[in-house]
Amino acid sequence: MDNFARLLKESWTLVETDRVRLSEHFYARLFLLDPELRKLFPVQMAGQGDRLLEAIIAAIHTVDDPEGFDEFLRALGRDHRKYHVEAAHYATMGVALLDALRSTAGDGWNLEYDQAWRDAYAAISEKMLAGAASDANPPFWHAEVLTHQRYGPDTAVFTCRTLQHPLTWKAGQYVSIEAPRYHPRVWRTYSVANAPNNDSVLEFHVRTPEGAGWVSGALVRRVKPGDLLRVAAPMGSMTLDRSSERDVLCVAGGVGLAPIKALVEELTGFNRTRWVHVFYGARTEADLYGLDGLRELVAAHPWLSVTSACSNDPDFEGEQGDISDVVARYGPWTTHDCYVSGSAAMVRSTLRVLAADDVPPQHTRYDTFGNL
């Protein structure tokens, strides 16, 4: 296994700096092999290749962790049902992937690399197919938008209710969403912002940079109550360890508040002995859209505290500075279960703070939008 993982990671270095070419070659070859597959993809392919490569990267970096490799790929297989991918498609994708790797790597490619990727793809497709076959749920749920509230020009909080049988999720998990009325066959992942409930109602917090983010732009600026969305099966492991007796640290940046809010809501249902500290940061006070809701939870639960901070608002009466620096000032957090959610830069800097406090890695879970 060690040699197998080494060959995969070593060969990946031949192509990782030329991902655009790899992606373009893969899709060109894929659609040449089976033109019908083009119907499964968005009209505009921008960004589609990035998600493919992220899945490949994640797979090869977990191949030397058999348990993690198996769990990741089975979940990926269940999730890919929303694309209407069938068993026969996996073989075609395998041919296209190997052809793209050989072409992009050039003279550095060899027979050992080729065989390692053949074996890896066989294992990947087998586990993804097994995951898809084991799931009795539908590939996705239709969900009706119930409420929609804007916070400034680029942020919205909305709720929706699934119309089929209930969708089961855990606090801290995320789902893929499609807005078929506005961008058919384009999916993006968003954290569920509330704890599980019996009403099949899910809450989401979405932010979109101006002029970017097709699905996020639609969810913020165009979606309204009564619209129908599609929601895929939950994924993610940033969930509570109910058996733990350690106190809890939650760190949220911007709309990274969503899964943190869900975790706190779940804790309100059973926690009696653990102190829970929430740190919530943004650039300006106007960006702290969820602060009032957190304060209501603090008023109702004496074990909960909330510390807010702004990195670019000198008039803000709370803490000043990046949220990771504020967390560092209040530490150490060595004996806590730690949950971190936000941008890649924010998560990265917060994980450094926790590492400096000698927080054991197994006591830290995180969720990020963007690559670490």
Side-chain angles (χ1 to χ4, degrees), residues 258-297:
I260 298 300
K261 174 178 173 291
L263 292 171
V264 173
E265 282 189 6
E266 181 168 326
L267 281 161
T268 64
F270 70 90
N271 181 49
R272 298 293 182 271
T273 60
R274 304 166 72 182
W275 294 103
V276 180
H277 310 275
V278 174
F279 286 77
Y280 176 34
R283 293 185 68 254
T284 68
E285 185 172 8
D287 295 326
L288 294 171
Y289 65 92
L291 190 54
D292 288 343
L294 289 176
R295 286 170 174 163
E296 290 177 6
L297 289 171

Side-chain angles (χ1 to χ4, degrees), residues 46-47 51 150 153-155 183 186 188 190 206-222:
R51 288 188 293 282
R150 293 281 295 273
D154 59 5
T155 303
H183 296 293
V186 181
R188 292 293 183 272
Y190 302 93
V206 182
R207 181 180 183 275
T208 180
E210 187 173 353
W214 290 353
V215 178
S216 295
L219 294 178
V220 170
R221 302 187 182 101
R222 304 177 71 181

Side-chain angles (χ1 to χ4, degrees), residues 92-143:
T92 307
M93 288 189 285
V95 172
L97 175 61
L98 264 294
D99 193 61
L101 287 166
R102 293 188 201 106
S103 174
T104 307
D107 294 339
W109 196 258
N110 60 42
L111 290 176
E112 275 193 305
Y113 294 158
D114 206 87
Q115 189 59 53
W117 276 93
R118 286 178 183 273
D119 294 342
Y121 187 77
I124 287 171
S125 58
E126 179 184 0
K127 293 180 184 298
M128 288 182 67
L129 284 166
S134 67
D135 195 345
N137 288 313
F140 53 79
W141 285 254
H142 297 282

Side-chain angles (χ1 to χ4, degrees), residues 187-234:
W187 296 79
R188 292 293 183 272
T189 56
Y190 302 93
S191 294
V192 184
N194 58 317
N197 56 70
N198 295 326
D199 300 323
S200 296
V201 174
L202 299 91
E203 178 182 317
F204 296 98
H205 301 179
V206 182
R207 181 180 183 275
T208 180
E210 187 173 353
W214 290 353
V215 178
S216 295
L219 294 178
V220 170
R221 302 187 182 101
R222 304 177 71 181
V223 161
K224 58 186 181 300
D227 281 355
L228 292 181
L229 306 175
R230 291 173 180 165
V231 179

Side-chain angles (χ1 to χ4, degrees), residues 71-87:
E71 181 181 347
F72 169 76
L73 290 170
R74 287 178 180 270
L76 197 63
R78 290 192 294 269
D79 180 66
H80 270 57
R81 293 182 307 143
K82 69 176 183 274
Y83 297 118
H84 306 287
V85 176
E86 300 175 0

Side-chain angles (χ1 to χ4, degrees), residues 44-79:
Q44 298 291 334
M45 289 289 290
Q48 184 67 38
D50 292 339
R51 288 188 293 282
L52 165 75
L53 294 173
E54 286 167 8
I56 294 172
I57 293 167
I60 66 172
H61 282 285
T62 58
V63 71
D64 47 3
D65 172 15
E67 184 176 342
F69 184 68
D70 183 79
E71 181 181 347
F72 169 76
L73 290 170
R74 287 178 180 270
L76 197 63
R78 290 192 294 269
D79 180 66

